[in-house]
Amino acid sequence: IIDDVYDGEFLYKRLQQTGKYKRLVKRNYSANDVLQIGGQAVFQGLSEKYDLTLLDDAEVNESPAFVIQATPLSGTWITKHYFDKETGIRVKLEEINEKGEKTLALELTEIKLNPEFSPSAFTPMMPKDFTFVDETVTPEPQP
């Protein structure tokens, strides 16, 4: 689970992986730190680092999707990016190693376009059992 909250100054990423870790990370904001799910930045990033091939359409969550296979300019693995035909949102991502095995799969299952937000939605809160990591502070040099 990845939740991003931007409070106008800092980006807070809540990262949770079952059985591995739970962290809340505070960072200086950068557009590259936010999960890019669509738009020009995604395609520009892919086209700069990968050879792209348009594959046959697929269905993701009962909606038609374009499928783009990205082969890195240096490397033997590939990624497949599934973009919803109606919204252009990347709804699925698969990474496949040189043996044809999936090593990573991400799928967006709940997408709410233009939802209503209260101001409290942009106030980061420290979840129970999470570790806080402040990456905005430079550590003091050790003697």
Side-chain angles (χ1 to χ4, degrees), residues 10 25 28 40 42 44 53 73 75 80 82 104 128 140:
F10 298 104
V25 181
N28 292 315
Q40 184 177 356
V42 170
Q44 182 176 349
T53 304
L73 299 176
K80 289 184 181 178
Y82 298 75
L104 174 70
K128 184 179 177 183
E140 299 271 333

Side-chain angles (χ1 to χ4, degrees), residues 30-73:
S30 167
N32 293 330
D33 289 337
V34 179
L35 177 63
Q36 299 292 327
I37 60 171
Q40 184 177 356
V42 170
F43 292 105
Q44 182 176 349
L46 287 173
S47 66
E48 290 173 357
K49 299 176 185 174
Y50 300 89
D51 285 324
L52 303 178
T53 304
L54 182 63
L55 302 179
D56 290 338
D57 293 350
E59 195 169 285
V60 179
N61 296 318
E62 301 178 11
S63 295
F66 295 109
V67 183
I68 297 176
Q69 179 175 294
T71 305
L73 299 176

Side-chain angles (χ1 to χ4, degrees), residues 51-118:
D51 285 324
L52 303 178
T53 304
L54 182 63
L55 302 179
D56 290 338
D57 293 350
E59 195 169 285
V60 179
N61 296 318
E62 301 178 11
S63 295
F66 295 109
V67 183
I68 297 176
Q69 179 175 294
T71 305
L73 299 176
S74 61
T76 56
W77 47 273
I78 63 169
T79 55
K80 289 184 181 178
H81 304 261
Y82 298 75
F83 293 91
D84 182 87
K85 283 189 167 190
E86 184 178 335
T87 64
I89 293 173
R90 180 171 44 187
V91 291
K92 186 174 178 181
L93 168 68
E94 296 176 330
E95 186 176 281
I96 302 163
N97 68 17
E98 61 278 353
K99 296 177 186 175
E101 303 165 327
K102 284 185 194 173
T103 56
L104 174 70
L106 299 172
E107 188 170 329
L108 300 180
T109 57
E110 288 186 42
I111 299 172
K112 296 178 184 174
L113 300 176
N114 302 315
E116 296 281 327
F117 285 105
S118 70

